[in-house]
Amino acid sequence: MSRPSGVAATTAPPEEPAPAPSTVRSKLTFAGIATGNLLVLLDTSILNVAVPDVQKSLHPAAAALPWAVDAYTVVFAGLLLAGGVIADRWGARRVYVCALGLFAALSVVCALAPDVGYLIAGRALLGAAGAGLVPASLALLIHLNPDPARRTRAIGAWTALSGLGAAAGPVLGGALVELGGWRLVFLVNPPIALAALLLARRLPVPPVRAVRALDRPGLALSTAGLGLLTFGLVEAGIEGWGSPYALVPVVAALLCFAAVALVERRVASPVLPPALLALPKVRAAMVAAAVSCFAYFGGMYMFAVWLQHTYDLTPFKAGLASLPIAFPVCVMPFFTGRLVARHGPRPVLLAGMSASVVAGVLLALCGGHHPPLPLIIAAELALAATGTLSIPSAAAAMAVSAPPEYAATSQGALNGIRQAGSALGVAVLGTLGALTTSGYVLIGIGLPAVLLVTRATAKPSA
């Protein structure tokens, strides 16, 4: 029998299927996998409320201060696809454990940073470790739950616990800053990482069906493209869309993506396999994830800035003010997993994406400096519905639709585009200022995305 195209001559020996783990052991292993991912999302938001204390302590230049926060996101987004490919090639368990240990060690480095340059470098390295954790954790979760119904419920629970990190970040960060300063924000990471390792001592070892040839040009170009795009979007939020620091990286990113399209036609084993991208449901999951993260994370950042400027809140109170949009992410994905298992990803995904359009309509009605509070809360809850329905449904749709041999690669690609969507949402919605304008943007982006996903996921007529 001929070897599949793009597979190297060396294949892993067949492995005996491992005995099914006990219920208690399986739950502990799941908790370890989810806790590691919680740690990654915790660091996307925990430092935001600590920025004034960092400024007071390290006295950085004004242009350098935002990068103490954003260096993490740029590297995280840029390397997610590479993290998925590496996990597929060298083993999800090995990559997960190594990345978790690095995350703990680098957190200590950040806490000890003597100046903002060291802090930015440490945050960038933390982003690299996070990019290894996320796709590897999802690949392990998929292997731990081979049954599709169990898998979707597990992904819902995984997303809920991960969302707890994003939701708890501002509140926990504000409390730690008021307790002992910004360095405590990083020292909370090592105990969580140690707990994750202890909980997941018996991680599954997904069998490696075949060792794919490593597509170095495609990997380098896609990583550079995602990194440059995120860098440009962050700079647009800091310097404005007319700044060359924003425009040049975005143009360079587009050139990298164009080069990827050309290079991938000529390599034996492309970094994003055509068999994966040819699936309409895979493409729909990517669009849904990007648009939903644009709306949810952009809206979360927009409300945090708007509430602080309008009501002059302390760091801890600013974190509490984000709870209407953040807290549902800690609870609802448990139910989202059940809904997806019962009805399939499509209706849940479309409901969540439609909620972003509803949020846009509500924000478009928010005229004046102090719009009615019920209208603000309703818009926050609509964005929370987007985060709790669309994002886990997109991950479940990808897990069900992608071939098993591309489990980590597909999740790395999905999470890469999620982070790009999040960065774009923060850059766009965070710089518009007016809630009404942000509402029009959400409507303009959300409606076409809903129609596109509806068409891509429709069942073919008999």
Side-chain angles (χ1 to χ4, degrees), residues 75-393:
V75 177
F76 182 42
L79 292 181
L80 268 169
L81 181 57
V85 173
I86 290 169
D88 275 338
R89 185 175 176 84
W90 284 292
R93 184 183 188 276
R94 182 184 303 169
V95 171
Y96 181 79
V97 171
C98 290
L100 197 56
L102 280 172
F103 204 96
L106 290 167
S107 296
V108 176
V109 171
C110 289
L112 298 175
D115 57 50
V116 74
Y118 280 93
L119 180 58
I120 291 171
R123 287 280 288 172
L125 292 172
L126 267 181
L133 272 172
V134 174
S137 69
L138 265 170
L140 290 169
L141 188 64
I142 290 167
H143 181 70
L144 193 65
N145 298 276
D147 176 67
R150 272 189 63 192
R151 184 186 304 163
T152 53
R153 287 194 295 270
I155 288 175
W158 177 89
T159 307
L161 291 174
S162 303
L164 178 62
V171 180
L172 179 61
L176 289 171
V177 169
E178 293 190 11
L179 180 65
W182 65 268
R183 297 183 191 274
L184 288 183
V185 164
F186 294 104
L187 293 178
V188 77
N189 289 341
I192 297 175
L194 178 61
L197 285 173
L198 291 175
L199 287 169
R201 283 179 297 175
R202 298 183 181 271
L203 283 169
V205 183
V208 180
R209 291 172 175 81
V211 180
R212 292 195 294 140
L214 190 61
D215 174 20
R216 289 183 176 85
L219 196 57
L221 286 168
S222 58
T223 299
L226 282 171
L228 286 166
L229 177 63
T230 313
F231 182 95
L233 296 176
V234 170
E235 278 296 315
I238 298 171
E239 300 290 341
W241 286 96
S243 168
Y245 294 105
L247 293 177
V248 171
V250 170
V251 171
L254 295 177
L255 292 176
C256 285
F257 293 140
V260 168
L262 294 174
V263 169
E264 298 299 84
R265 296 176 183 176
R266 303 178 182 180
V267 296
S269 181
V271 65
L272 279 177
L276 186 65
L277 294 179
L279 299 172
K281 291 182 179 179
V282 167
R283 297 197 301 270
M286 289 184 170
V287 170
V291 172
S292 300
C293 286
F294 175 98
Y296 178 72
F297 289 100
M300 179 184 286
Y301 181 83
M302 173 192 68
F303 275 117
V305 172
W306 183 82
L307 287 168
Q308 287 187 68
H309 286 172
T310 304
Y311 297 106
D312 193 23
L313 302 176
T314 66
F316 182 63
K317 289 181 179 178
L320 291 176
S322 68
L323 286 180
I325 190 172
F327 180 72
V329 181
C330 309
V331 180
M332 272 301 296
F334 288 105
F335 301 99
T336 302
R338 295 176 186 271
L339 290 172
V340 172
R342 179 176 297 179
H343 303 290
R346 184 176 187 265
V348 184
L349 189 62
L350 290 173
M353 295 184 69
S354 300
S356 69
V357 180
V358 172
V361 173
L362 293 170
L363 288 173
L365 299 174
C366 289
H369 185 63
H370 288 279
L373 186 59
L375 199 59
I376 296 295
I377 294 175
E380 286 186 301
L381 291 175
L383 287 173
T386 299
T388 56
L389 294 176
S390 293
I391 296 173
S393 297

